[in-house]
Amino acid sequence: MSVRYLLRGAAPLGDEPTDVLLADGVVSALGADAAQAADDEDVVVLDATGLVLLPGLVDLHTHLREPGREDAETVRSGTRAAALGGYTAVHAMANTSPVADTAGVVEQVWRLGRDAGWVDVHPVGAVTVGLAGERLAELAAMADSAARVRVFSDDGKCVDDPVVMRRALEYVKAFDGVVAQHAQEPRLTENAQMHEGVVSAELGLAGWPAVAEEAIIARDCLLAEHVGSRLHVLHVSTAGSVEIVRWAKSRGIDVTAEATPHHLGLTDDEARGYDPLFKVNPPLRTAADVEALRAGLADGTIDTVGTDHAPHSREDKDCEWAAAAFGMTGLETALSVVQATMVDTGRMTWADVARVMSVTPARIGRVADQGRPIAVGEPANLVLVDPRARRVVEPRRASQSENNPFRGRELPGRVVATFLRGRATVLDGRSVDATTEEV
Ligand SMILES: [Zn+2]
C-alpha cells in the first residue's frame, strides 16, 4: 500500500485553509474527514500552515532537447527541473534531432518521460516534415500514437507559408488538435539579434521588429476564423500582439495566447551588457510591452504562462552576442516570476495563477487529468507553495543548463512539495526519487 499524505492547513487556491488527504492517487478527503486520518500508521502528515495549494502546473512550451542535444538537457533532467518548479505535466517541443515529426519519435519521447516519472510528458508534434515549412508531417499518425499528440508546432521556426498554415489548421480539426504558432515573419527578421528599437540602435545590433510578430498573428487569427479551427499563439511579446489577440477574441475567433515569464519580467535594457544570457527569440521588448503583457494576462486576453524553457550548453551561450544561441531556461523559476510580477503586484490571485499555469494549459492541450479542481475524487496532481519565502535564484538546480536569466536575483515563493497522482516528486523543496539523488 502506498503512502498517504495529509496536508494540514493548506490553502487551496489561496482560500481558507483546510486539511487535504491524498490517497490512491486522488484527493480522498477534505476538512474534518481528512483530519481523521492524522493518526493512521501509513499517513505522512505535512504541516502546510501558510502554504498555498494549487493544481500541479502544466507547461505547454518546454524544450527537453532529447533526442539529439542531451548535452544541454535530457527528458530526465528537464522533467526533474519541472517537478522542482511545481509542474506535473509538460509539453515537449518538437525541434529535437531527429525532429518529432513521426509517430516513432513522439512515442520515444513519451516513453522516456513515463520512465523518468517526474511529470507527465506530452510530446508536441511538428507541423511540417523536418520543420522545413513545406510538407505537413504525419499529424494523424502522431495523434493516433501512444503519445496521443494534440498540440502541433514547428516552434523555433514559424509556419510562414499561409497555404501550409491553412492546411495544418484544417487538418488538426479531425482529432481536436491545435496548431501552436511561433509567430515570426522570416524576411522581416533576417539576422535579427534583439528587439528593434532605441536600445538596438544604440548597441548597433540588428533589430527584430514588433511587426514581424504582429503580422503573423493577425494573419493566423484570420486563417483560424476562415477554416473554423483552433490557434494557440506562443510567446506573445508585444503590446500590438496583445491588441490583435484581444480583437480576435472579441470577434469570436478560437484563439488562445501565451506569455513567458521572461517577457513578463524583463526588458530589452538587459541587452546593454551584451550578455547572451538575455538573448531570446522572440526578443525581450520594451517596458510598455511588458506592461501590456501583464495587463493582458490579468484581463484574460493572454490565456497561459508557458515557460519556453530552452536549455543551451555553455559553448552555445558563453560566447559573443551575435554567435550565441537564442533561449533561456524557465521551469525552475516560472512560478516565482509570476508571483513577483502578477500576484505580489496585486494584479492576480492564486486562483488566477492556477488558471493560467494549470487549468487553461491542460484544456488547450486536451489533457484530461491535469488542471483539475481541488475536490474529493480528483487526481492528486498538486503543488504546495510557500508564498512568503524568498530566495536567490541559482543558475540551475536539476536542469543540465545554466542559462536562467533570473540567476543571482532574489525572487519570492518556494515550491515546497509537488505530487503526481498522489506520489511526492518534491518534498521539503527537494526532488524525491528512489533511483536518483536529491538536489
Ligand atoms: Zn518559439
Side-chain angles (χ1 to χ4, degrees):
M1 192 170 168
S2 60
V3 170
R4 297 189 286 163
Y5 289 96
L6 176 61
L7 317 179
R8 296 216 84 152
L13 307 181
D15 293 338
E16 282 301 299
T18 187
D19 292 347
V20 182
L21 185 66
L22 315 183
D24 303 319
V26 300
V27 176
S28 64
L30 291 168
D33 293 344
Q36 280 182 353
D39 296 327
D40 294 357
E41 249 176 45
D42 65 328
V43 169
V44 174
V45 179
L46 301 179
D47 179 7
T49 309
L51 306 186
V52 173
L53 184 64
L54 302 175
L57 308 183
V58 177
D59 193 15
L60 280 172
H61 197 160
T62 300
H63 297 276
L64 292 175
R65 301 299 188 216
E66 188 177 4
R69 286 307 301 266
E70 291 84 353
D71 58 323
E73 198 77 287
T74 63
V75 171
R76 185 173 290 275
S77 67
T79 54
R80 187 160 147 223
L84 283 165
Y87 288 86
T88 49
V90 300
H91 287 71
M93 280 297 177
N95 62 339
T96 49
S97 179
V99 170
D101 58 4
T102 65
V105 178
V106 294
E107 287 191 347
Q108 179 194 357
V109 173
W110 176 75
R111 284 207 181 83
L112 287 167
R114 190 192 54 183
D115 293 349
W118 291 111
V119 302
D120 290 340
V121 173
H122 298 281
V124 173
V127 175
T128 66
V129 176
L131 309 179
E134 292 164 7
R135 283 184 301 125
L136 286 190
E138 303 169 359
L139 307 186
M142 291 189 275
D144 292 342
S145 74
R148 298 191 72 258
V149 175
R150 290 295 178 273
V151 181
F152 296 88
S153 182
D154 277 2
D155 184 51
K157 290 191 172 174
C158 182
V159 180
D160 66 304
D161 183 323
V163 176
V164 173
M165 187 62 182
R166 174 188 177 161
R167 282 206 199 105
L169 287 164
E170 284 173 335
Y171 204 84
V172 299
K173 288 201 294 181
F175 34 84
D176 198 24
V178 62
V179 180
Q181 176 71 292
H182 169 117
Q184 177 181 7
E185 209 293 314
R187 294 271 292 137
L188 287 168
T189 52
E190 280 177 14
N191 303 315
Q193 294 292 324
M194 65 172 293
H195 173 64
E196 180 180 299
V198 174
V199 181
S200 67
E202 278 179 40
L203 300 183
L205 289 170
W208 195 134
V211 65
E213 174 175 303
E214 293 156 5
I216 293 290
I217 295 176
R219 180 202 75 176
D220 288 353
C221 286
L222 294 172
L223 283 173
E225 178 180 46
H226 185 61
V227 304
S229 188
R230 286 205 286 150
L231 170 71
H232 181 61
V233 184
L234 299 168
H235 44 46
V236 166
S237 69
T238 78
S241 297
V242 177
E243 279 307 305
I244 291 163
V245 171
R246 190 175 282 129
W247 169 84
K249 287 184 166 184
S250 75
R251 205 174 149 96
I253 297 172
D254 197 355
V255 57
T256 52
E258 165 191 276
T260 70
H262 47 273
H263 288 114
L264 288 168
L266 302 170
T267 70
D268 62 346
D269 266 331
E270 303 287 350
R272 289 184 189 281
Y274 291 100
D275 183 345
L277 193 58
F278 301 103
K279 181 173 175 180
V280 67
N281 189 15
L284 301 177
R285 305 284 187 185
T286 68
D289 295 307
V290 170
E291 172 51 32
L293 288 180
R294 291 181 183 184
L297 188 61
D299 74 17
T301 303
I302 304 287
D303 302 85
T304 66
V305 173
T307 65
D308 195 5
H309 177 81
H312 286 293
S313 67
R314 281 207 181 154
E315 62 263 32
D316 288 339
K317 269 303 202 186
D318 286 358
C319 47
E320 67 171 302
W321 183 284
F326 291 95
M328 306 170 162
T329 61
L331 288 169
E332 294 171 357
T333 45
L335 185 57
S336 286
V337 176
V338 171
Q339 183 185 336
T341 58
M342 303 301 296
V343 180
D344 291 355
T345 54
R347 301 183 90 146
M348 281 174 58
T349 64
W350 286 106
D352 294 327
V353 173
R355 174 171 51 79
V356 301
M357 296 188 79
S358 177
V359 178
T360 304
R363 179 173 56 74
I364 293 169
R366 300 297 191 245
V367 179
D369 61 347
Q370 299 275 354
R372 303 289 307 167
I374 300 172
V376 172
E378 293 287 354
N381 298 314
L382 298 163
V383 56
L384 260 182
V385 186
D386 183 356
R388 302 157 307 185
R390 298 193 71 85
R391 59 169 174 151
V392 175
V393 174
E394 302 150 89
R396 70 187 185 98
R397 294 188 68 199
S399 176
Q400 289 194 182
S401 293
E402 301 188 333
N403 53 310
N404 187 314
F406 297 97
R407 67 191 200 186
R409 299 183 198 215
E410 191 179 276
L411 288 178
R414 174 173 176 264
V415 171
V416 174
T418 309
F419 299 93
L420 180 63
R421 282 179 287 282
R423 180 175 62 83
T425 55
V426 174
L427 270 184
D428 198 19
R430 293 165 180 272
S431 56
V432 181
D433 184 85
T435 60
T436 52
E437 76 279 20
E438 292 191 343
V439 295

